[in-house]
Amino acid sequence: YTQSLPNLPKSSPADFPALFCGTSSPTSASTSCLSSLKLNSFTHTEALRICQSASSSTPAACANDKSIQSSLTSLQISNLCGGSGVMGEDATQETVKCVKKTPSYFKVEESVRLCSGSPTTHPASCATAVDNKLKRKLGVEGTILLCRGAQSTGPAVCASAVPGKVSNTTTIELCKGADSNAPAKCFKESAKSMRNDEDLMVSLCKGGGRGGEGDVSGGVLECLEAAPFTMGRESKARLCNGARDKVPAECAEFMWNKGIQVAKGTVEDARLNEEHVVKLCSGVSSIAPALCYFQAPNSLSKADQETLCEGETNIYTERKEGNGKGKGKETSTSVAAMCASEGLKHNLDHSLVVRLCRTHVSVDTKELIFGPISCAISAPFNFAPNQVLDLCQGATNGFPSTCAKRVDNSFTNSLKVKLCTNSEDFTPVECIDHLPSTLTQEDAVKLCAEVKTLTPAYCISSLTTSMVTNRDISKCRKAVSTATSLELKSVEYEGDALLPGTNMVISLNLVDQYGQFRNWDNDTYVSAKIAVKGSGGAVLEGKRVNVTENGVALFDTLSVDKEGNFSLGFYVGQTVGEVEVKEEKEDEQFSDKAAAASLRLRVGMDPTEARMAGICHGLFDSFMCSAEDDEPVRVDNMEAISLIPFPSSTKFMPCVDLLEEAGFTVTQSWIGDLWLRSSSGVEILGLGLITKDMGHWERLGLEVGASKSMIKKAYFKKSLEWHPDRWVQHPHLRSKAANIFELISEAYRGLTGCLKMEGEDGGNC
């Protein structure tokens, strides 16, 4: 640092660099302060005073302030501004204002002493609030002692309310730091109980009203009045100091009565018991410490019992139902005492049990109460007691120990403790498993300790450099998985070709900035849009905005209303908690976003498919024309058969798949002929087709008078054969199938209705 010092201040001794750099571990901030200081205005001693302990250049800014240089000496400035770097520039300006606001009868050096180091003008306001009577009593020196460090005019208000006969020393000690007249009020009203012992009255009332709401002197006096009658005055003062109600006294009464029973009234034991009472009951908000003390296991020493119960706040209340005659009974138990009893049952070290059970965590179930003990019982056998304590203190279950056991044995016990403390699952260990092998074990633990997700590991793995710094670790520990992109999972639709109006089922996986699937995400909006460019005015129909479920965005009602080549874009929006999306306002959320995934679609047949469909349609037309000549086929065993001889068959070879889907059995002979077989397949081309001229029985292929069950079976068979959905791949056949299906349905309705009227025989139907 010697080399970084600027020009030295005036009259600097030769050893100034050594004085500046060698006594208080200076930082670049202190040398920066010295660089900013107007050195010619200060001696080397003053410069040291201003900048040597600075944490920024703010002390220099304070010392360079023109408004104080005109009225203060360089020594006074150094006293005022020295060390003010801890406060910040705004607070330092307040210190300067404080000096200017002090009462007019203050000398400059007195103002500096009052305001030095204060980040506010409150000390000056306090001094100004001292009335003439109090000013004559305290003088300037007393006023400085009273108001230095004040946070309000409270000390002056308090001191003015203290009886005039009280000494200055007592007045200042009582009211310094007060924010109201509560200490003075307490002081006056406790005079009788404390027998005008000023020292005891100050120890009882000092600080009343500080850090709380309203006048708490009433709470102190209420506690004093309720304290055990036989308790000494000094103990009462220590017990009730700062009390806000009589709870400390109730705690003391509980312990006092119990203590007398235990001590059997001997003076020596009573004194010992009184010390316990004051130590455990001062400042408490319930009788929990007293309850703990007498419920703690007897095998613990008195010192361990005190250590266990001091500051205890939690009581576990359990209600046992009555036997029908009574209302039941409530039992209250100290949480710390219950925890300690459980620990000693498992032969844990006494000191470890006491430290484990002093967690003071609010709990409402025994499982949570025994959490630290459960953890300690299952801790790895080679853990030292202090390692078990660090791992299990505050645990709500045994999981930190389970986590520590799963860590690779190449890790030291200390690293296992750091990694697994407060863990609720195996995520910290899994985080370690996902890290690159180049990371040291110490850095791995720094990154993964207490993490709730694997995002920090993915963040580190995404870095392009193999040298990981503490800054990288800090950044990745704070990393949060953010939904940024989508991965196409599947696209499904009925048929071989996507036609206009055909429903699509599209699913996409939501991934974060590190490419990881967010399988827990159930509240992110995802939108689908059709690209306007090249769409020819096509419309994407169906529900276009959906919310993810288990990380998957599912669109199951989308369709395009026109033929063509289109591009669908999928966009990641905000979460359900951030915005309520209505479909008509979807553009407001997704308008400025780039597509997180895209999909190219061909709607309608491509040119090759269309040409083949034309050829095959010509084949079907030729069949239909043959049907009109009454000799289209040769019938063999009641099955319609058609022959396409070679070489004409070569033209229709690409239609084989379509023919088979239409219900034909296609066979190719060794010379190249095509044989087509299928009664339903040929019928739909015009052979043996059901017509309107047929009666109901004939349409179903039944003899007149068939039973109701036979009618139902025939209808079921025919409806499956001719349902339009079966022919959805062949639009030129589907309309014929729909007509036949309607004739079958009409026949079924007619016959079943007739049978209801005519009876089972149905002869007239």
Side-chain angles (χ1 to χ4, degrees), residues 423-438:
S423 63
E424 292 293 336
D425 53 30
F426 293 122
T427 304
V429 183
E430 292 173 353
C431 174
I432 294 282
D433 294 340
H434 282 77
L435 293 176
S437 58
T438 54

Side-chain angles (χ1 to χ4, degrees), residues 59-172:
C62 171
N64 293 334
D65 189 283
K66 294 181 180 179
S67 61
I68 63 171
Q69 284 186 346
S70 60
S71 55
L72 300 181
T73 66
S74 60
L75 177 60
Q76 292 167 345
I77 293 174
S78 67
N79 288 334
L80 178 68
C81 298
S84 60
V86 298
M87 299 186 297
E89 188 171 351
D90 291 342
T92 302
Q93 294 301 317
E94 290 297 305
T95 304
V96 175
K97 291 179 183 178
C98 176
V99 171
K100 297 177 180 179
K101 289 182 65 175
T102 53
S104 58
Y105 61 88
F106 268 49
K107 295 179 181 178
V108 175
E109 59 268 20
E110 293 168 343
S111 298
V112 169
R113 284 170 51 208
L114 174 68
C115 296
S116 178
S118 175
T120 69
T121 60
H122 293 317
S125 299
C126 172
T128 303
V130 172
D131 58 29
N132 290 331
K133 182 179 178 182
L134 184 60
K135 181 173 67 175
R136 288 193 297 271
K137 176 182 177 181
L138 297 179
V140 173
E141 290 301 319
T143 301
I144 293 174
L145 290 174
L146 177 69
C147 292
R148 181 173 169 79
Q151 296 300 309
S152 68
T153 59
V157 174
C158 171
S160 297
V162 174
K165 61 182 180 180
V166 177
S167 67
N168 287 355
T169 302
T170 299
T171 300
I172 293 169

Side-chain angles (χ1 to χ4, degrees), residues 387-455:
Q387 292 170 336
V388 175
L389 177 66
D390 292 340
L391 179 68
C392 297
Q393 194 166 34
T396 57
N397 51 43
F399 220 100
S401 290
T402 308
C403 169
K405 289 178 179 178
R406 281 196 55 175
V407 182
D408 190 275
N409 286 330
S410 63
F411 285 73
T412 65
N413 288 350
S414 297
L415 289 177
K416 291 179 180 179
V417 169
K418 290 179 181 178
L419 179 68
C420 293
T421 299
N422 298 325
S423 63
E424 292 293 336
D425 53 30
F426 293 122
T427 304
V429 183
E430 292 173 353
C431 174
I432 294 282
D433 294 340
H434 282 77
L435 293 176
S437 58
T438 54
L439 208 64
T440 66
Q441 290 184 345
E442 289 75 12
D443 284 344
V445 171
K446 282 182 186 178
L447 177 74
C448 294
E450 299 184 32
V451 296
K452 305 300 182 185
T453 71
L454 298 180
T455 302

Side-chain angles (χ1 to χ4, degrees), residues 315-317 335 361-369:
I315 297 175
Y316 178 72
T317 302
V335 167
V361 176
S362 180
V363 292
D364 55 5
T365 66
K366 289 184 178 179
E367 288 75 14
L368 292 176
I369 293 172

Side-chain angles (χ1 to χ4, degrees), residues 689-699 743 746:
L689 204 64
I690 295 173
T691 66
K692 290 183 179 180
D693 298 333
M694 295 179 179
H696 291 171
W697 297 104
E698 186 180 2
R699 292 181 193 179
L743 292 174
E746 183 181 59

Side-chain angles (χ1 to χ4, degrees), residues 3 8 257 270 317 319 355 361 376 379 440 566 609 675 691:
Q3 296 177 355
L8 301 181
N257 292 335
T317 302
R319 182 175 181 81
R355 290 187 292 171
V361 176
T440 66
F566 305 106
E609 290 175 338
W675 290 89
T691 66

Side-chain angles (χ1 to χ4, degrees), residues 264-341:
K264 298 180 181 178
T266 63
V267 174
E268 185 175 351
D269 284 341
R271 285 176 182 170
L272 180 64
N273 200 35
E274 187 170 305
E275 291 301 315
H276 292 326
V277 170
V278 174
K279 185 175 182 180
L280 291 178
C281 292
S282 295
V284 299
S285 57
S286 73
I287 66 167
L291 196 64
C292 171
Y293 185 78
F294 291 103
Q295 290 180 343
N298 291 329
S299 55
L300 288 178
S301 67
K302 291 298 180 185
D304 279 344
Q305 289 178 353
E306 282 189 10
T307 303
L308 174 70
C309 298
E310 188 175 1
E312 169 66 351
T313 59
N314 297 304
I315 297 175
Y316 178 72
T317 302
E318 192 171 23
R319 182 175 181 81
K320 295 183 178 179
E321 297 297 333
N323 56 8
K325 297 181 180 179
K327 296 182 179 179
K329 184 179 180 181
E330 283 189 352
T331 57
S332 296
T333 312
S334 161
V335 167
M338 287 179 69
C339 174
S341 298

Side-chain angles (χ1 to χ4, degrees), residues 56 71 192-193 209 298 307 314 340 450 459 518 528-529 541 631 658 690 713 718 720 736 746 753:
S56 71
S71 55
K192 184 176 181 181
S193 299
N298 291 329
T307 303
N314 297 304
E450 299 184 32
C459 173
R518 291 169 54 91
K529 295 182 183 180
E541 299 176 332
E631 293 183 358
L658 293 176
I690 295 173
K713 288 180 182 178
K718 291 284 187 182
L720 286 178
K736 287 183 177 291
E746 183 181 59

